[in-house]
Structure formats: structure tokens, C-alpha cells
Amino acid sequence: MSARGQLVAAALRATVKPLLSIWARWPELPWPYDLVDHAGRLLTVAPGQYRERVELNQCTAEWVRPVEVSGNRAILYLHGGGFYVGHQHLHRQMVSRICRDVSMPVLTVNYRMLPQNSVEDAVADCVDAYRYLLQSGIRPEQVVFMGDSAGGYLVFMTAICALEAGLPAPGAIVALSPLTNWDHEPKLSAPTADVCSLFPRSAIRALTAQATAARPGPVAPSHHRAPRSPVSENLSGLPPVLIQASTTEMLSPDARMMAGRLMHYRVPCTLQFWDKQVHVFQAAAGFVPEARQAIELVADFIHECVAAQARDEATG
């Protein structure tokens, strides 16, 4: 682990982790979640890109496009943030770097979030964004689903629900430190629960309770269904998957379990573990060398999948 990686881990243990412990005690309070997103305005982004707002049925999205790009392809990026925070500002630097390194336009989805909405609402918004890409003329095999943490959950559930709705599968899936199982016991019983630099045990319990609680809306609480876990779903028909995670993060068991389930369904899956990194360490690609290497491997995977699909089209 590099010195810069150690510095990031120490900073998270001293700041964000204690704040998450406080949140876990009173998650029902009116916390200023929007302020967390606006802190992302302080982050720098790669030059040579322009942005365009998109109106979807129930939310907005944002295109991040390189000035010079060839081909009609796209990354559908679903941000993390525990289903509470995120939107475009907090993840703008990371998305900007991905757009630059992969040389593909990226559509980020400002999906509806807790506590006003449900996890199912977020999934529906992401499926809607995928429909938008297909209706814009992009072939499904030229679309890559990518997300981190809670967004890693969404990329799998969006792909699963898209197939259930009769939509074609995307060309590839990239999941960074994904949440894949709403049963928190495997996470809390694993050795990684005691060494995670970001999540205290209490935060995982609180998030599970909040995400699975009934929400105001047209569905009566007595008929509310808890969010689905990707590890418990039928994964047949999913495209090649890349999963990256750390050996010392709370969601490490989720990444390993999901890879095993994908193998069970004969879905091509590459699982990469990075030693002693923080949760979604790829966000620090401008500072931590391991994060930069991880993003380079993501770019290689995406190019390989997209290029393979293009070759198949040319020869088929």
C-alpha cells in the first residue's frame, strides 16, 4: 500500500467514519444530504469536456462528453453514496476522469434517493436512463453499465430489471466495491468488518434498516417489498462483468459472493482485489497510484468488451 493510500485511509478513519457512526444513531433526522453533494463543486475535473442536462421521466441525468470522441457508444454511470448522497457534483471528478481515460461519453443518472424515495425508485430511474440511451440510437452492446458502492448495486439490478422488461443486455458491467446483498450478517461477521476505514458496523445496520423500510407512496406499507439482492437473483443473460474491491473494506464479502454467483450462472466475470485500499479507492485516482492503476484496468476492460462487440458486428 502506497503512502498516499495510507494517508487517504487515515483521513477517512478520522473524519467520515465517526460522522457515519453519529448518523447511524439517528438516521431519521433531517440530515443535510444535499450539502454533501455540493462539496463536490470544490473538486477539479479534466479539461476538454462539456456537459449537457437530460430530462428523464422522474429525474434528471447529465452527459459528460469528450470534445473529440469517435463511435456511438456510452457509459451509463450510476453513482454511489448509500442511496442518500451523490448526484453529479460529488462524483463529477471521478466521472470526468473515466470519461477522459476511456474516451467515451458518460451519462450520469441523478436517480431518486432515500429517505424521500425507495431503492426501487432508484432502480426504475436507472432502467429509464438505459431506455433513453437505446432510444437515442446507441446499440445495447455499445453501452457499459458502471457504478460504485450503492451504484454497484444499481448496475446489477438495472441490468436484471432491464432483461425482465424485455430490453437487451448492455455490452459490459463494471462494479466498484458494490453492495450486492441486503443481508448484512455476512459483512458484519467477516474479518473485514473490523478493519474498514470508512464504514462502522452500526452504519451498515442502519442503512439496511432504512433501505428496507416502507416509504410514503401509492404502495401500502403492508404490501411493501424489501429491495432485491443481486446475489439472490437469476443472473442468466448478463454481459461480461468486472468487479473491483479492497481486501479491507466492509463490502468485500459482497464482491466475492457476487463473483461466485456470476460464475454459477456462467457469466464471464473478472474479480480484482486491491490490498488494504479504502472503499471506492478509485475515486482518488488523481492522488493514489493504486487507484490510477485500477482505473487503467477498468479502461482496458471496457475497451476490450466494446471492441469485441464491434468485431463481432463486423464479422457477423
Side-chain angles (χ1 to χ4, degrees), residues 120-133:
E120 292 90 339
D121 292 330
V123 174
D125 290 343
C126 296
V127 174
D128 188 39
Y130 182 42
R131 284 196 182 94
Y132 162 82
L133 291 177

Side-chain angles (χ1 to χ4, degrees), residues 78-94:
L78 311 179
H79 68 79
F83 303 100
Y84 278 93
V85 300
H87 284 319
Q88 71 265 31
H89 297 303
L90 191 62
H91 287 74
R92 181 165 283 178
Q93 184 181 66
M94 184 175 181

Side-chain angles (χ1 to χ4, degrees), residues 45-103:
V45 297
Q49 299 173 355
Y50 67 95
R51 301 175 183 277
E52 178 186 354
R53 181 183 173 95
V54 174
E55 294 290 339
L56 301 176
N57 288 332
Q58 298 291 335
C59 69
T60 64
E62 184 180 64
W63 275 114
V64 182
R65 300 181 188 269
V67 173
E68 296 183 3
V69 62
S70 61
N72 192 20
R73 55 190 61 165
I75 295 174
L76 180 63
Y77 196 90
L78 311 179
H79 68 79
F83 303 100
Y84 278 93
V85 300
H87 284 319
Q88 71 265 31
H89 297 303
L90 191 62
H91 287 74
R92 181 165 283 178
Q93 184 181 66
M94 184 175 181
V95 169
S96 174
R97 187 178 186 94
I98 292 167
C99 178
R100 184 195 67 184
D101 292 356
V102 183
S103 298

Side-chain angles (χ1 to χ4, degrees), residues 275-298:
D275 193 33
K276 299 179 182 178
Q277 296 299 311
V278 301
H279 179 66
V280 194
F281 65 97
Q282 299 88 342
F287 181 71
V288 177
E290 296 94 332
R292 184 166 56 250
Q293 294 164 11
I295 292 296
E296 290 172 356
L297 289 175
V298 168

